[in-house]
Amino acid sequence: MKTALLMILLGLCLADDEISNKRFPDEFMFGVSTSAYQIEGAWNEDDKSESIWDHMVHTNPDFIADRTNGDVACDSYHKFDEDLAILKETGVNHYRFSLSWTRILPTGYPDNINVAAVKYYKNVINKLKENGIEPVVTIYHWDLPQNFQDLQGFVNDSISDWFAEYARVCFSMFGDDVKYWITINEPQQVCTGGYGYGYFPPTIKSEALLEYQCVHNLLKAHAKAWHIYDDEFRSKQNGKVAITLDTSAYLPASDSDEDKEAAERIQQFTIGIYANPIFNGDWPEVVKTRVAQRSIAEGRSQSRLIEFTQEEIDFIKGTHDFFGLNVYTGYLVESLGYDPPVSEPPSKWQDQAVNTYQPSTWETTSTQYTKVVPWSVRSLLNWIKNHYDSPKIMITENGYPSSGNDKDDRRIYYIKGYLSNIRDAMEQDGVDVFGYTVWSIMDNFEWASGYTQKFGLYEVDFNSENRTRRARGSASFYKKVIETRCLVDNCI
Ligand SMILES: *[C@@H]1O[C@H](CO)[C@@H](O)[C@H](O)[C@H]1NC(C)=O
Ligand SMILES: *[C@@H]1O[C@H](CO)[C@@H](O)[C@H](O)[C@H]1NC(C)=O
């Protein structure tokens, strides 16, 4: 830790002799990830209906940095064979992609299952399997049917039933061929992005109020889907079902107890608020206590963080077959040294009561907040191991945004650094990581950033009708890692 802290403060880079020379286990899964709205296009083909992202890009084009949209994106609805070709070329063990709710169920409800959509996804799954690539399937990656948003989306109690019924359709249509399911991708982006700060659709700004109501409903939605699998499908299909949580790694800015407590607190507010109910039962104590106390001080009759009933606690606890983790960067955290006074409306920052920052010496990427902090992932993995009883972890996303330089050396440096620290966490700390997934196999529609942020191992030419895919340097780097299971030339 001391050395790590020193390296962080000095902003030192990893030299090659600091890269792990330990071979990854044969069964370790190396993969890549995408999501439906970001790659498929064909937004209204074959009866597909409108999602909250279709609605946003069509009604408010200025919401997207370059005024583009996902109407065509990588055109993967028509070009899956080209996706398959680059997946094969890279030699991945698994491919994580998502199903489009509005494609499979145009009304949102299971009253009308869209045959063309089922055919499309069955073909994707079958071709992956024929080529020895394990499908890892996300059921919900942010593209809620707009008609459910018109009924308040994730802050309507009914969301857990809407989602659970959709999940049942997915298990029953595809589950015979899918061994790894992700229920919901990055709930923090759904609730904090959608209902807290409002930087994603439905762009509702209600920090620490509707935001927490969303968290409460979303956890019940996830748990219902997990129980449906467990009760109705597991014995025949034998798969694993998990939620994928996203967080940055939060490291104390100093060795002081106050900064360590502050780092613990924000980690609980970002990942613990989802993981604790699922892995340990109920909200994390520090989150529950702080929000309750502050809510009373604000003159409310109950906590803004709705208490779970014992029945709900028992229903949500244990709804995991592994831990899905998306992580891109890290922050230093310091204590404020005081508790911020209450205000109306309340703020998330006051509830968390910490300062976070990224030293200017840390290497930047093309997005302001995604700095390159490979060593921080090892702390985060240890934090997860210690808080949730050593779960099996699949890193379901990790990747580097660029403006697209051909040499691509910084993306290689990033992936190598993260993988090295993951390997050290496995070898030296006994963290049980069984898979790693690069976001993304190819450039795609990066939400509010449009096509300005390029995460692909493959470049996509969005100006050509063919959406031609072309390998970047990192594609051959990753191919070699997968082939050799090794980050350096001479592994042991
Ligand atoms: C929530 O959804 C139900 C349908 O399941 C609907 O009847 C109700 O009006 C919705 N509530 C709100 C506030 O829109
Ligand atoms: C697009 O693909 C078609 C079919 O493979 C090919 O004939 C055509 O030349 C391509 N166009 C461009 C601009 O690459």
Side-chain angles (χ1 to χ4, degrees), residues 211-443:
E211 179 184 358
Y212 291 159
Q213 204 176 315
C214 170
V215 179
H216 186 99
N217 288 340
L218 186 148
L219 283 165
K220 287 196 280 191
H222 155 77
K224 277 188 185 169
W226 188 92
H227 280 291
I228 284 173
Y229 190 82
D230 203 48
D231 295 342
E232 302 172 25
F233 297 95
R234 186 185 298 280
S235 63
K236 294 177 295 224
Q237 298 183 345
N238 270 309
K240 297 184 194 312
V241 183
I243 194 168
T244 271
L245 305 180
D246 68 301
T247 184
S248 299
Y250 291 103
L251 312 173
S254 80
D255 274 341
S256 77
D257 288 346
E258 291 76 16
D259 287 353
K260 285 184 191 161
E261 253 174 53
E264 169 71 16
R265 191 157 66 245
I266 188 168
Q267 203 72 80
Q268 291 290 7
F269 267 93
T270 51
I271 197 171
I273 197 169
Y274 298 98
N276 206 75
I278 293 172
F279 285 82
N280 298 333
D282 205 359
W283 304 115
E285 195 53 48
V286 65
V287 177
K288 188 171 157 174
T289 310
R290 276 193 63 81
V291 179
Q293 281 169 352
R294 296 183 65 83
S295 300
I296 301 303
E298 288 153 12
R300 295 171 201 276
S301 58
Q302 57 172 352
S303 179
R304 288 180 270 106
L305 189 69
I306 306 150
E307 281 192 32
F308 287 120
T309 63
Q310 189 59 46
E311 204 182 333
E312 288 170 335
I313 291 174
D314 296 340
F315 186 72
I316 296 169
K317 183 179 174 179
T319 56
H320 56 85
D321 299 320
F322 61 95
F323 194 117
L325 175 68
N326 290 0
V327 59
Y328 287 86
T329 190
Y331 286 85
L332 297 187
V333 186
E334 54 188 21
S335 151
L336 296 180
Y338 67 96
D339 202 16
V342 299
S343 71
E344 201 56 42
S347 88
K348 183 75 171 299
W349 183 79
Q350 292 170 338
D351 279 356
Q352 295 175 166
V354 301
N355 264 339
T356 62
Y357 65 99
Q358 295 177 309
S360 58
T361 48
W362 290 4
E363 180 177 338
T364 55
T365 63
S366 62
T367 69
Q368 189 184 348
Y369 299 111
T370 310
K371 292 215 179 201
V372 181
V373 202
W375 47 84
S376 68
V377 76
R378 187 167 167 190
S379 307
L380 176 62
L381 289 170
N382 274 280
W383 193 92
I384 291 170
K385 173 185 179 231
N386 295 335
H387 284 72
Y388 308 117
D389 194 20
S390 299
K392 289 188 175 303
I393 302 170
M394 178 190 275
I395 295 181
T396 38
E397 284 181 28
N398 177 246
Y400 177 93
S402 76
S403 49
N405 77 63
D406 277 341
K407 202 159 144 252
D408 214 29
D409 57 322
R410 300 327 287 163
R411 194 184 324 268
I412 294 171
Y413 173 83
Y414 177 102
I415 295 173
K416 193 194 280 187
Y418 271 84
L419 275 172
S420 176
N421 281 276
I422 290 162
R423 188 68 188 90
D424 285 345
M426 294 162 66
E427 182 76 18
Q428 293 172 44
D429 313 330
V431 182
D432 191 354
V433 185
F434 70 97
Y436 173 84
T437 318
V438 172
W439 183 276
S440 175
I441 180 67
M442 60 188 160
D443 295 344

Side-chain angles (χ1 to χ4, degrees), residues 79 82 464-468:
K79 297 190 187 306
E82 291 174 38
S464 105
E465 210 180 306
N466 286 357
R467 297 297 193 273
T468 313

